[in-house]
Amino acid sequence: MIGKLTGTLLEKNPPEVLLDCHGVGYEVNVPMSTFYNLPAVGERVSLLTQFIVREDAQLLYGFGTATERQAFRELIKISGVGPRTALSILSGMGVGDLAQAITLQEAGRLVKVPGIGKKTAERLLLELKGKLGAEMGTHAQVTSDAQADILQALVALGYNDKEAAAALKALPADVGVSDGIKLALKALAK
């Protein structure tokens, strides 16, 4: 219903901001990543928004980038993850970090976010796999499920993200998982 707001920033009280749009003040909840990039009070700002209607409230959530809003939309589709939890996730880690954690299936990174337990983290990883991964800004350019599995295996073997991504780039695009792991290990051993 309300997709974008542009106006003057009146108040900043994390995680909420008050935005004056031609005499109408909108209370908008924003993740901390957006909050830190807001201009000073009195300046003009544009936020992409997501309008949520509940039984007891109508809430606006604002985002500085389209990828943040898309990640928020994907998160709130998951059973047990409401807008507040999704906002907490996006405040605790950037979209790129979230996408990388999903691609590499790292539940430990999600558990560090306040309000996310082990079961919720595992459900997030399972349900978001393929929906919020390489296309949302992960550092390694993973183009297939086989490459994602190879990358995950290399990270599990103790290589850091940069080393694993470099080894992945050197592999043929159509390589299988087991052959890809062998070739990547040979490349990393040099």
Side-chain angles (χ1 to χ4, degrees), residues 60-148:
L60 263 177
Y61 293 88
F63 308 94
T65 65
T67 54
E68 271 186 339
R69 182 172 67 176
Q70 184 58 38
F72 179 82
R73 287 176 172 171
E74 291 296 332
L75 286 166
I76 61 174
K77 288 179 186 175
I78 297 170
S79 173
V81 177
R84 217 174 238 162
T85 304
L87 203 65
S88 177
I89 292 169
L90 291 175
S91 291
M93 60 192 329
V95 177
D97 292 335
L98 176 62
Q100 189 175 29
I102 292 163
T103 301
L104 301 176
Q105 295 292 293
E106 294 178 331
R109 289 170 78 173
L110 292 171
V111 173
K112 292 178 184 174
V113 175
I116 303 295
K118 187 177 180 190
K119 287 185 180 180
T120 304
E122 289 171 355
R123 187 169 57 245
L124 284 167
L125 292 177
L126 180 68
E127 293 193 33
L128 290 175
K129 186 173 185 174
K131 295 179 186 173
L132 217 128
E135 70 281 358
M136 285 273 179
T138 182
H139 300 296
Q141 294 300 313
V142 178
T143 57
S144 68
D145 285 344
Q147 287 189 332

Side-chain angles (χ1 to χ4, degrees), residues 146-147 149-151 153-154 164 167-168 170-172 174-188:
Q147 287 189 332
D149 291 342
I150 294 167
L151 186 65
L154 293 173
L168 196 63
L171 299 177
D174 58 344
V175 71
V177 176
S178 60
D179 290 337
I181 293 171
K182 289 175 190 171
L183 290 171
L185 288 172
K186 283 181 184 175
L188 288 166

